[in-house]
Amino acid sequence: MALEALQPIVELPFESHYIRSIVRVSLTVSLTAVALSTLVSIPVALTVGFKEFPGKGLVTAVINTGMGFPSVVVGLVVLFAVSNEGPLGALDLVFTPQAMVISQFVLATPVITGVSLAAITGVDDAVRNAAYAMGGTRLDVALVVIKEARFGIATAVLAGFGRAISEVGSVLIVGGNIAYADGTAYTRNLTTAITLEARQGRYETAMFLGAILVALVLLVNAIVGRLGGGGRR
């Protein structure tokens, strides 16, 4: 899709189509990024938590460092990667939702991995030993540990989602905050829209979008807490 056809909005009234479009972009990008991140983070956390290997301390340090990595730097790195000069330049991902997914994936993965690793290593060794004593395979033991650490893992996913959906700097850099002239968002999400609306003095719209963002985080918190068993074992 040609970028010339995507005209940013200068003046747009407070309307439901605009709001729905922004919420859709936010949820689609953030949920996709967190889902992909979870698929990567849980196996990594299990591997680091279960195995001893050279460089394990370095891997743990990288994970912990990544949890606080500046989002603007992540945005710059991803923008270079998808630019014409970058390794993903042939895919033409500059200023697209896919680039936003990559950026949020990079931000969420260390968070989900780090918190999941803490939950997994926090499971009592007696649980693992009991699983092995009952003839369980390595996979069986891993599933038992995941079950015991499920609330911590659910918390990790929630933290990753919060990191992703509340991000402004990196998605603004790689997405461009683009919307069609009719108010349909292309790469404009809740956080970048709030920034734009506030700068243009449309505080009512900005506050409403902020309330939606908080409501979404609370809703996901409730769902993940429910799936995680509320910490009860």
Side-chain angles (χ1 to χ4, degrees), residues 30-126:
S30 296
L31 290 176
T32 301
V34 170
L36 294 174
S37 178
T38 301
L39 292 176
V40 172
S41 298
I42 303 304
V44 171
L46 285 170
T47 300
V48 176
F50 271 83
K51 294 184 177 181
E52 295 295 332
F53 53 88
K56 179 176 179 178
L58 177 62
V59 172
T60 304
V62 170
I63 293 172
N64 293 333
T65 302
M67 294 176 68
F69 208 68
S71 60
V72 175
V73 176
V74 171
L76 288 174
V77 172
V78 173
L79 181 62
F80 169 75
V82 301
S83 67
N84 293 333
E85 296 80 11
L88 302 178
L91 299 178
D92 195 21
L93 297 177
V94 178
F95 301 145
T96 63
Q98 290 79 12
M100 297 168 66
V101 169
I102 295 173
S103 177
Q104 292 192 4
F105 170 85
V106 174
L107 289 170
T109 297
V111 175
I112 298 178
T113 304
V115 179
S116 296
L117 178 59
I120 289 169
T121 55
V123 175
D124 197 321
D125 289 339

Side-chain angles (χ1 to χ4, degrees), residues 210-227:
I212 292 176
L213 180 59
V214 172
L216 287 175
V217 173
L218 291 175
L219 176 62
V220 173
N221 189 356
I223 293 174
V224 173
R226 182 73 175 179
L227 294 176

Side-chain angles (χ1 to χ4, degrees), residues 106-225:
V106 174
L107 289 170
T109 297
V111 175
I112 298 178
T113 304
V115 179
S116 296
L117 178 59
I120 289 169
T121 55
V123 175
D124 197 321
D125 289 339
V127 175
R128 304 186 191 191
N129 296 334
Y132 279 122
M134 295 177 66
T137 64
R138 183 172 296 179
L139 177 60
D140 295 328
V141 176
L143 292 176
V144 170
V145 171
I146 290 175
K147 183 178 179 181
E148 288 296 309
R150 64 187 182 278
F151 182 66
I153 294 174
T155 302
V157 175
L158 175 61
F161 178 78
R163 170 80 155 148
I165 200 169
S166 63
E167 175 49 38
V168 182
S170 66
V171 293
L172 185 61
I173 291 174
V174 302
N177 197 24
I178 299 170
Y180 293 102
D182 65 355
T184 302
Y186 179 59
T187 60
R188 181 169 299 172
N189 66 358
L190 282 167
T191 54
T192 58
I194 290 171
T195 302
L196 176 66
E197 298 296 331
R199 286 180 176 177
Q200 295 187 351
R202 293 194 289 263
Y203 300 115
E204 181 184 2
T205 305
M207 292 293 291
F208 187 72
L209 291 171
I212 292 176
L213 180 59
V214 172
L216 287 175
V217 173
L218 291 175
L219 176 62
V220 173
N221 189 356
I223 293 174
V224 173

